[in-house]
Amino acid sequence: MTEERVLQVVEARKGNLTEEVRAVAEAESADPAALMRAVAGGTAVVPRNRRRRLLSPRGIGGGLRTKVNANIGSSPDVADPDLELRKVAAAVEAGADAVMDLSIGGDIAGIRRRVLDACPVPVGTVPIYGAAAARAGTPGGIAAMTADELFEAVEAHGRDGVDFVTVHCGVTLAALERLRRGGRVLDVVSRGGAFLVAWMIAGGRENPLFADFGRLVEIAARHDMTLSLGDGMRPGCIADANDRAQFQELITLGELQAYALREGVQVMIEGPGHVPLHMVAENVRLQKEICRGAPFYVLGPVVTDVAPGHDHVAAAIGGAAAGAAGADFLCYVTPAEHLGLPGPDEVREGVIVTRLAAHAADIAKGIAGAADWDLAMARKRKARDWEGMLDLALDRRKARAIRGTSPPRDPGVCTMCGEYCAIRIVEEYLGRE
Amino acid sequence: MTEERVLQVVEARKGNLTEEVRAVAEAESADPAALMRAVAGGTAVVPRNRRRRLLSPRGIGGGLRTKVNANIGSSPDVADPDLELRKVAAAVEAGADAVMDLSIGGDIAGIRRRVLDACPVPVGTVPIYGAAAARAGTPGGIAAMTADELFEAVEAHGRDGVDFVTVHCGVTLAALERLRRGGRVLDVVSRGGAFLVAWMIAGGRENPLFADFGRLVEIAARHDMTLSLGDGMRPGCIADANDRAQFQELITLGELQAYALREGVQVMIEGPGHVPLHMVAENVRLQKEICRGAPFYVLGPVVTDVAPGHDHVAAAIGGAAAGAAGADFLCYVTPAEHLGLPGPDEVREGVIVTRLAAHAADIAKGIAGAADWDLAMARKRKARDWEGMLDLALDRRKARAIRGTSPPRDPGVCTMCGEYCAIRIVEEYLGRE
C-alpha cells in the first residue's frame, strides 16, 4: 500500500475527514468523527472508487441506516442495455442506496459503463461474470479461464470506476470439502460461486481469489474500491441453512477482511440466502462476531422456499429480522426471483418493499430519528389529513392509486369505516369531557 | 352452564373426542388426545357454533399450524352483498382459515347470513357493529344504544350460526383512565373500541360487556360460540405500542378468559396492531403468560406506520415475527389498509402474503411437517423441474404469470441466469468427480 494514494481507511486512521465521510455523516445526522472511526476500524464502509464521479455516497455499517441494494443486469436471454438503464432509473427513483450491475449477457462492459454514468449512488459488480462469460463459448469453457483473466477483470472494473466488487474469496478447497461431505440439497446457488467451483474442480486447483488474495487487495487499493466478500456457499434452500460449508466460508472471509483492512481496503461480508426465520438473528450475530463487526450485506434472506412470485415479501420478512439483529445492507429480492429476470416494475416493487424492511429494522435497531417518520404519519392520521398521509407514504404512487380507486363520500375519512371512523368518534367523545 | 348442551370445552374435559376435534387433528396430523387436552385447558380452540353446518373446522392454538383470517364486510360507502360474497370466495380460494364479516353498511344481517351459508371455514363477526349502526342515525346516536341491544345483537349472531365473535370486554373505565393519563398519539383506532368509549363517556358508565360478562358467557355457551376478546386499546401507531392502556386491557382479558373457560366457553385473545419489530416477541410472550397460554390472535402487527399501499408486507413482517414467538392466528392486512375498503384482488393478495408469514412462522416454531413443503420445492429446484416448482408454489397463479411473461429459450433454466444456471453448472462439475 502506497501512502500517496487516498484510501478512505487510511485517511480515517489519520483522522482526516474525507469529503465522502462528511457527506454521509451529514445525510444521516451522524457524528462525522464517530463515522470516521468506524471506517478506520472496519465496522462501516463508504464505498467509492477514486475514479468515480459519485453524486450520492452512502455509508454502510454500525450506527447507520440500513441500506438497500437493487440488482440489475442483462442475462443471455435478455440483453438490452436500454432496458438495464430503465431498471437503474426505476431503482434510484424508488430510493435504492446502491445498484449492482450483474450483467452476464450482451455487451457486459458497455452496460457497466453506462450504468456507472447514469447512477448517482454507489455501483457494485461481480467481475468474474464477464471473465467467465468470455470463456463460456470457447473450447474448455469456464475452466479455461486463467487466474490472470480473473484479476484483469477486477482491474478493468476498478478502472471503469466501480465502487464495490463482489469477490467469492471464501469458495476454497476447504469449503468445497465441507460441501462434499455435507450432503446439501442444493449445493451451490451462487452464480459466481458456481463458476469458481467448476474452475476448481476442473483443474484440481485452489480459488485464485483466495490463493492470491494479496493481489486482489492491491487492485482494490489502487482504485480505493470496496471489496464485498461474496458468499458462494450461501444456502439455496432453508434445509441447507447454517451448515458447515457456509461457516467454513465465513471463517475464511473473516480472516481475509482483517488482512484487507490492514492494507487500507474497505470490506463488506455477504450473507445468505435462504434461512428460516428462527436462524436469522443467530446468523447475523455470528457474522458480526467472526468478522469483528464488519458490515454485513445479506441477500434477503428469504424465510421460505415456497413463495415464488412473492419472494420479495419472503425476503422482507427475513431482511427486517436480519436488519433488526444488526445486518447493515439488504440486497433486494423482486417478485421475479426464482422465476426470471425482473423488469423495471419488479425492480421498483423490490426496492420499495426492501426499504420497508430496512426501515422496520432501523426502528428496531434504535437508529436515531428513524421513528420520527412514523410519528409524523401518526399525527397526520390523527388529524385525518389525507394529503399529508399520502405525501408521507413510503410509496406515494401506490398509496394515491389505491385511495383514488375507492374515494369516500366524506373526504375526511376512508371507505373502510366511513362515518364510523374510530379516530373521529373517540376524538369527539374524549373532547366532550 | 347446563351439562346437556354440547360444549367443546366440556366434552374435552370429559375426554370425549368431538367430531370437530377429530377432524382438526386429522387435518394437522396432530394427536387427537393432545388437541383435546389443549381445548380443555384453553390453550387451543376449535371455533364452531353448534347451529352451524361447518364444512372445514379449524383449530387455533399451541402446537397447531398458525392460521390466517381474512376480514371482509361492507361499509357505509360500499355496501354490495354480492361484492362481499366475491370477497369470501377470493379469501377461501386463496387459503384463508377463517373469515370475519365486519359489515357495517347496508343489510348487515342479510350479508352475515349469506356469508355463513357460503363460507366453508369458521366465520367471525363483531356484533356491536350492527347494534351501534342501528342507533347511529337516531337521536342520541351510538350513546343511545342500550346494554340489552348489545347483548341481543350477540344473541342474534349466535342464533345465525356465527362461530366466533369479537367482544371488546377489556375497554373498561380503568383502561380508559390509563388512556387519558397516557397521552397517546392516536387514542383508539379499534372501531368496536371506539363505539364503547363513546358509549361509556356519554353515559359515565361501565362497558356492559365487562360489567355483565357473565351474561355474555351465557349467550356464548348457548351456541357454543367462541369468544374472541377484542383489543379495543390496541395501538394505532408504533409510538403508542406496549403502553399502559394496552396492558391494562390485557390484564382484564386474561381474567375474563379464565372465567369463560371455567364456564365451558372457548376463548381467544386479540392483540395489536402497530408494534415496532423489537417489541413484537415480548408482546406475544407477555400475552401468553398473562392469559395462561390462551390462543393469541394478532392483527398484523404492522411494524411501521409509513407503508400505506404495502401494509400487507408491513404486517407480514410483524405477523411472521409474532407467529414465530407463539402467536396462533394472524388477521390479514391488505394493500388497501389505511386507505379504503379492500376489493377481491386485495383480499386475495392479503391472504396469500399472510399465509406466507404464517408458514415462515410455522417453520420457526417447529410445527411438525411445516418445512417438508420447502424441502419438496428445493428438490424440484435441484431437478430444474419447472412444472413441479410452479405446482408447489404458494401462489401458483402469480408464479405461472411471471414465468410466462419471461419465457427462457432453454426451458430447463430461467431468464435470470440462462445458460449460467449455478445449479446446473455445479451439478455437472461435482458429477465429474
Side-chain angles (χ1 to χ4, degrees):
Chain A
M1 202 196 64
T2 52
E3 289 299 320
E4 57 277 19
R5 295 186 212 134
V6 177
L7 287 168
Q8 294 291 346
V9 171
V10 174
E11 295 307 307
R13 261 187 223 145
K14 290 183 194 159
N16 293 339
L17 208 56
T18 62
E19 192 187 323
E20 291 78 13
V21 168
R22 197 186 300 271
V24 166
E26 196 179 309
E28 304 233 2
S29 308
D31 172 20
L35 178 56
M36 189 178 67
R37 285 192 298 272
V39 169
T43 60
V45 296
V46 180
R48 189 211 159 201
N49 186 306
R50 187 183 297 127
R51 294 163 183 260
R52 177 132 136 84
R53 197 175 65 94
L54 175 61
L55 295 177
S56 293
R58 290 291 195 278
I60 298 162
L64 301 171
R65 269 196 308 108
T66 306
K67 301 303 187 300
V68 170
N69 176 73
N71 289 338
I72 62 105
S74 63
S75 77
D77 281 10
V78 186
D80 172 2
D82 292 334
L83 176 64
E84 298 312 318
L85 270 287
R86 287 207 302 280
K87 290 195 232 166
V88 171
V92 171
E93 193 266 338
D97 295 295
V99 171
M100 288 194 77
D101 174 15
L102 306 187
S103 289
I104 196 165
D107 177 10
I108 296 175
I111 295 173
R112 177 169 69 248
R113 289 171 197 141
R114 287 185 62 188
V115 168
L116 282 162
D117 278 348
C119 188
V121 293
V123 168
T125 58
V126 190
I128 196 174
Y129 290 176
R135 282 288 191 176
T138 68
I142 293 165
M145 176 183 74
T146 66
D148 279 345
E149 285 168 7
L150 184 49
F151 286 111
E152 282 157 17
V154 180
E155 176 72 47
H157 285 230
R159 274 197 311 270
D160 282 345
V162 167
D163 300 300
F164 62 101
V165 284
T166 291
V167 278
H168 301 87
C169 306
V171 179
T172 59
L173 291 172
L176 194 52
E177 184 56 26
R178 303 289 91 70
L179 184 75
R180 280 197 198 90
R181 293 190 196 177
R184 273 193 175 182
V185 178
L186 262 171
D187 292 322
V188 172
V189 296
S190 153
R191 203 154 59 177
F195 292 150
L196 287 165
V197 165
W199 192 91
M200 291 158 69
I201 290 174
R205 55 203 157 174
E206 185 55 280
N207 176 359
L209 297 174
F210 170 74
D212 208 356
F213 185 68
R215 184 172 171 188
L216 188 61
V217 169
E218 260 301 302
I219 297 170
R222 202 170 300 142
H223 306 284
D224 201 10
M225 190 162 60
T226 297
L227 294 179
S228 188
L229 302 183
D231 57 333
M233 294 293 167
R234 70 169 172 268
C237 61
I238 62 168
D240 292 344
N242 283 13
D243 76 345
R244 293 187 292 269
Q246 188 190 338
F247 288 115
Q248 182 73 67
E249 178 179 52
L250 185 62
I251 290 167
T252 303
L253 298 186
E255 292 177 348
L256 297 180
Q257 186 266 352
Y259 172 86
L261 186 66
R262 280 197 301 273
E263 299 297 312
V265 168
Q266 302 189 92
V267 180
M268 297 185 278
I269 307 291
E270 296 186 13
H274 291 238
V275 184
L277 189 51
H278 61 294
M279 293 186 186
V280 170
E282 69 195 35
N283 193 291
V284 173
R285 284 194 293 262
L286 196 61
Q287 181 278 347
K288 287 281 177 180
E289 287 156 11
I290 287 184
C291 301
R292 311 256 171 96
F296 196 29
Y297 176 22
V298 292
L299 173 50
V302 295
V303 292
T304 170
D305 305 331
V306 304
H310 299 272
D311 274 318
H312 58 310
V313 180
I317 294 170
D328 306 287
F329 195 20
L330 307 183
C331 186
Y332 85 167
V333 167
T334 80
E337 187 74 23
H338 298 109
L339 294 167
L341 202 67
D345 289 346
E346 287 152 335
V347 166
R348 182 177 196 279
E349 182 83 1
V351 171
I352 294 280
V353 161
T354 312
R355 283 185 59 209
L356 196 173
H359 178 64
D362 285 345
I363 296 166
K365 267 178 185 168
I367 295 291
D372 293 351
W373 185 6
D374 299 72
L375 186 58
M377 177 67 88
R379 291 192 168 132
K380 297 292 182 193
R381 287 205 169 115
K382 173 74 175 164
R384 278 98 62 208
D385 173 355
W386 285 90
E387 279 305 307
M389 282 182 241
L390 296 169
D391 278 344
L392 276 175
L394 171 67
D395 187 351
R396 285 176 223 174
R397 195 196 298 176
K398 190 173 181 193
R400 279 189 189 280
I402 294 175
R403 169 94 176 161
T405 58
S406 181
R409 278 185 305 220
D410 172 351
V413 297
C414 83
T415 55
M416 181 170 270
C417 301
E419 66 200 81
Y420 303 113
C421 174
I423 295 169
R424 195 158 73 175
I425 292 170
V426 170
E427 187 178 74
E428 184 192 333
Y429 280 84
L430 278 177
R432 287 187 193 174
E433 296 187 298
Chain B
M1 200 195 67
T2 50
E3 289 299 321
E4 56 275 23
R5 297 186 210 134
V6 176
L7 286 169
Q8 294 290 344
V9 171
V10 174
E11 295 307 308
R13 262 188 222 144
K14 291 185 195 157
N16 293 341
L17 208 56
T18 63
E19 191 188 323
E20 291 79 13
V21 168
R22 197 187 299 273
V24 166
E26 195 177 310
E28 304 233 2
S29 308
D31 173 21
L35 177 57
M36 190 179 65
R37 284 191 299 272
V39 170
T43 61
V45 296
V46 179
R48 190 212 159 197
N49 186 308
R50 187 182 299 125
R51 292 161 183 262
R52 177 133 138 83
R53 199 176 63 95
L54 177 60
L55 295 177
S56 292
R58 290 290 195 279
I60 298 162
L64 301 171
R65 267 195 312 106
T66 306
K67 302 303 187 300
V68 170
N69 175 72
N71 289 337
I72 61 105
S74 63
S75 78
D77 281 11
V78 187
D80 172 2
D82 292 334
L83 176 64
E84 297 313 318
L85 271 287
R86 288 207 302 280
K87 289 196 234 169
V88 171
V92 171
E93 193 266 336
D97 295 295
V99 171
M100 286 194 79
D101 173 15
L102 306 187
S103 289
I104 195 166
D107 177 11
I108 296 175
I111 295 173
R112 177 170 68 248
R113 287 170 199 144
R114 287 185 62 187
V115 169
L116 282 162
D117 278 347
C119 188
V121 293
V123 169
T125 58
V126 190
I128 195 175
Y129 289 176
R135 281 287 190 177
T138 69
I142 294 165
M145 175 182 76
T146 66
D148 279 345
E149 285 167 7
L150 184 49
F151 287 110
E152 282 157 16
V154 180
E155 176 71 47
H157 286 231
R159 274 196 311 269
D160 282 346
V162 167
D163 300 300
F164 61 103
V165 283
T166 291
V167 276
H168 301 87
C169 306
V171 179
T172 59
L173 291 172
L176 194 53
E177 183 56 25
R178 303 287 93 68
L179 183 76
R180 279 197 198 91
R181 292 189 197 178
R184 273 193 174 182
V185 178
L186 264 171
D187 293 322
V188 172
V189 297
S190 153
R191 204 155 56 179
F195 292 151
L196 287 165
V197 166
W199 193 90
M200 290 159 70
I201 290 175
R205 55 203 159 176
E206 184 56 281
N207 176 359
L209 298 174
F210 170 74
D212 208 358
F213 185 67
R215 183 171 171 189
L216 189 62
V217 169
E218 260 300 304
I219 297 169
R222 203 168 301 142
H223 307 284
D224 201 10
M225 189 162 61
T226 298
L227 294 180
S228 188
L229 301 184
D231 57 334
M233 293 292 165
R234 70 169 172 269
C237 61
I238 62 168
D240 292 343
N242 283 16
D243 76 346
R244 293 187 291 268
Q246 188 191 337
F247 288 115
Q248 182 73 67
E249 178 179 50
L250 185 62
I251 290 168
T252 303
L253 299 186
E255 291 177 349
L256 298 180
Q257 186 267 350
Y259 173 86
L261 186 66
R262 279 196 303 271
E263 299 297 313
V265 168
Q266 302 189 94
V267 180
M268 297 186 278
I269 308 291
E270 296 188 12
H274 290 238
V275 185
L277 188 51
H278 61 295
M279 293 185 186
V280 170
E282 69 196 35
N283 194 292
V284 173
R285 285 194 294 261
L286 196 60
Q287 182 277 346
K288 286 280 177 181
E289 288 155 12
I290 286 184
C291 301
R292 312 256 171 95
F296 197 29
Y297 176 23
V298 292
L299 171 53
V302 295
V303 293
T304 171
D305 305 330
V306 303
H310 298 273
D311 274 318
H312 57 311
V313 180
I317 294 171
D328 307 286
F329 194 21
L330 307 183
C331 184
Y332 85 166
V333 166
T334 79
E337 186 73 22
H338 298 110
L339 294 167
L341 202 68
D345 289 346
E346 287 151 335
V347 166
R348 181 178 197 279
E349 181 82 3
V351 171
I352 293 280
V353 161
T354 311
R355 283 184 60 208
L356 197 173
H359 179 64
D362 286 344
I363 296 165
K365 266 178 186 169
I367 295 289
D372 294 351
W373 186 6
D374 300 72
L375 187 59
M377 177 66 89
R379 289 189 169 134
K380 298 292 182 191
R381 286 206 170 114
K382 172 73 174 165
R384 275 99 61 207
D385 173 354
W386 284 91
E387 279 305 308
M389 282 182 244
L390 295 170
D391 278 344
L392 276 174
L394 170 68
D395 186 352
R396 286 175 221 171
R397 193 196 299 177
K398 189 172 180 191
R400 280 190 190 278
I402 294 175
R403 170 95 175 161
T405 58
S406 181
R409 277 185 307 222
D410 173 351
V413 297
C414 83
T415 55
M416 182 171 268
C417 302
E419 67 200 81
Y420 303 113
C421 175
I423 295 168
R424 194 158 76 175
I425 291 170
V426 170
E427 186 177 75
E428 183 192 334
Y429 280 83
L430 278 176
R432 287 186 192 175
E433 295 186 299

